[in-house]
Amino acid sequence: MSLREQFGKDVLLTGWGHSRFGKLTDETLESLIVQVATEAIGNAGIEPGQIDEIYLGQFNSGMMPLAFPSSLALQVSEQLANVPSTRVENACASGSAAFQQGTKSLLAGTAKTVLVIGAEKMTHAGADVVGAALLGADYDMAGKASSTGFTGLFAEVAKHYEKRYGAAVGNLGDVLGTIAAKNHRNGVDNPYAQLRKDLGEEFCRTVSDKNPMVADPLRRTDCSPVSDGAAAVVLSVAPTGGATAPVRLAGFGQANDFFPAARRDPTAFTATRASWQRALGMAGVGLDELDFAEVHDCFTIAELLMYEAMGLTEPGQGSRAVQEGWVFKDGKLPINVSGGLKAKGHPVGATGVSQHVIAAMQLTGTAGAMQLANPRRAAVQNMGGVGIANYVSVLEAV
């Protein structure tokens, strides 16, 4: 049973906008929000006055002084005066959290057209500020000093994984290096990406002056960059006559895990798996019916674990998806054709919305050099913390 069958109505992505990701010194949070919101509304073929509600995904957590940005989208047009607008925050999953809140407004019948925006400005803040902000998303490390920040947390995940599955994994560093190289290669074709350079497997697998170890076993190429950027999508219950065909939301899922690390299996990503099962279950499809997926590769070990959480491989067998080419652009389930967070960039609050926009572009044949051959169904997965807040959407071409 699909979302449409379960709720008796459609949720359609009818327009979208996307900024470049990177160090955008000439942009402000406001200018980025206005840019992508204007683009999304225009792409949907509607007037700003037709927007019933706005949701803005943004993490911030002290990275910039302005901590109350919910009304910034109203700067797009006088027609947006008095439109309800709410900031949504759920760590690195803030964008998808905003997307699901918008979806629920449509399903509740309190809105017919919703504007969802994800945005973040990070690069102006010092490394210590960004590091402390991100560590605020960890129960055990929030407010504590750390030389490795969130990288250190995922490095611990990698160590646990290697200890548990060592022989089956092979050389974990090489597997992670191949994932990094794949995503950098894919990022070359993404005009929005922050890092558009094919670094090659050898570089990504090797520790060097240009690719130092950040937190063993994670090298610089295993880590997503600090980024600025924004993306927006218009959600509607009916087609709006936009620039492209709409994209249907077929199913969605959310699941949260316990916050203290002691209450979680460090390699199972149990709640991530639950979010996948809920989304696929609502959509009434299996993993083998997806044509591609955009997943949360804040670190390469996260992408590897995602292969297992989504059910592409059994636990401990994620390296098989890499070694047998399943997740490459010409594989049976291409993963992160956009370059993922690894190459596209990770402006925290923007990421979840960006993933939906990139997927919608693929499903409408408007992804340019990134375009796959006639994809019809996709999944988007976004995560906050170390597998804590988890969101999955299944999208279909109409």
Side-chain angles (χ1 to χ4, degrees):
M1 179 180 290
S2 69
L3 179 151
R4 180 169 53 166
E5 292 167 330
Q6 182 172 338
F7 292 97
K9 63 175 68 175
D10 262 328
V11 173
L12 301 174
L13 288 71
T14 53
W16 43 83
H18 202 297
S19 78
R20 184 171 62 85
F21 282 6
K23 187 173 184 178
L24 309 180
T25 55
D26 294 332
E27 301 285 355
T28 64
L29 183 68
E30 180 179 332
S31 70
L32 287 168
I33 288 171
V34 169
Q35 174 194 332
V36 297
T38 301
E39 186 179 350
I41 293 168
N43 184 252
I46 62 174
E47 293 297 319
Q50 293 174 260
I51 299 292
D52 298 314
E53 197 164 2
I54 300 167
Y55 287 99
L56 169 66
Q58 189 220 16
F59 179 51
N60 191 355
S61 192
M63 287 187 288
M64 64 179 303
L66 181 64
F68 182 43
S70 57
S71 280
L72 289 179
L74 275 58
Q75 300 294 85
V76 169
S77 169
E78 291 290 330
Q79 294 180 41
L80 290 176
N82 303 321
V83 171
S85 186
T86 305
R87 175 194 170 207
V88 179
E89 186 277 313
N90 220 359
C92 296
S94 296
S96 283
F99 181 91
Q100 283 201 13
Q101 288 303 116
T103 294
K104 291 172 182 177
S105 287
L106 297 186
L107 295 178
T110 56
K112 293 183 179 179
T113 306
V114 174
L115 174 64
V116 178
I117 305 164
E120 206 78 63
K121 276 286 289 181
M122 303 173 69
T123 64
H124 64 282
D128 56 336
V129 174
V130 173
L134 296 176
L135 280 177
D138 185 76
Y139 179 89
D140 302 288
M141 289 301 297
K144 296 180 181 178
S146 171
S147 60
T148 56
F150 232 78
T151 308
L153 301 180
F154 274 88
E156 287 302 309
V157 170
K159 290 175 183 176
H160 281 290
Y161 185 85
E162 194 165 28
K163 182 177 180 180
R164 180 173 295 182
Y165 299 115
V169 177
N171 188 318
L172 180 60
D174 283 355
V175 173
L176 299 182
T178 299
I179 292 172
K182 168 184 72 73
N183 292 347
H184 275 286
R185 185 160 53 249
N186 288 346
V188 171
D189 293 328
N190 184 351
Y192 305 119
Q194 181 170 353
L195 305 175
R196 300 186 66 189
K197 186 175 182 180
D198 184 354
L199 298 177
E201 286 194 23
E202 185 63 29
F203 180 85
C204 292
R205 288 178 167 190
T206 306
V207 176
S208 65
D209 290 342
K210 292 186 177 181
N211 189 26
M213 191 71 75
V214 180
D216 190 20
L218 301 182
R219 300 146 298 208
R220 180 178 291 165
T221 50
D222 293 306
C223 311
S224 58
V226 173
S227 316
D228 305 326
V233 63
V234 174
L235 301 179
S236 308
V237 294
T240 57
T244 68
V247 170
R248 177 177 291 117
L249 177 65
F252 62 90
Q254 178 190 356
N256 274 53
D257 210 336
F258 295 107
F259 208 6
R263 298 197 65 183
R264 304 191 311 271
D265 183 323
T267 67
F269 278 44
T270 306
T272 311
R273 185 180 297 271
S275 65
W276 275 98
Q277 292 170 344
R278 290 169 182 173
L280 292 170
M282 183 185 290
V285 301
L287 198 69
D288 59 348
E289 295 174 85
L290 300 179
D291 294 309
F292 69 95
E294 289 287 322
V295 309
H296 192 97
D297 62 320
C298 49
F299 301 93
T300 51
I301 184 64
E303 179 168 329
L304 181 67
L305 286 170
M306 209 51 55
Y307 304 157
E308 301 175 12
M310 70 170 72
L312 185 59
T313 76
E314 292 297 317
Q317 299 292 321
S319 59
R320 185 182 175 198
V322 179
Q323 292 158 352
E324 299 190 18
W326 300 351
V327 295
F328 289 82
K329 198 168 183 177
D330 57 355
K332 69 176 185 180
L333 185 63
I335 301 289
N336 288 334
V337 176
S338 69
L341 286 60
K342 174 79 267 295
K344 182 181 63 177
H346 183 30
V348 176
T351 287
V353 182
S354 165
Q355 291 172 313
H356 285 85
V357 170
I358 295 293
M361 292 170 65
Q362 286 282 358
L363 293 170
T364 54
T366 58
M370 292 184 285
Q371 187 66 51
L372 295 167
N374 195 36
R376 304 300 296 168
R377 186 178 290 116
V380 166
Q381 180 269 331
N382 189 202
M383 177 174 70
V386 186
I388 304 297
N390 302 272
Y391 296 82
V392 175
S393 300
V394 178
L395 305 178
E396 297 177 338
V398 175

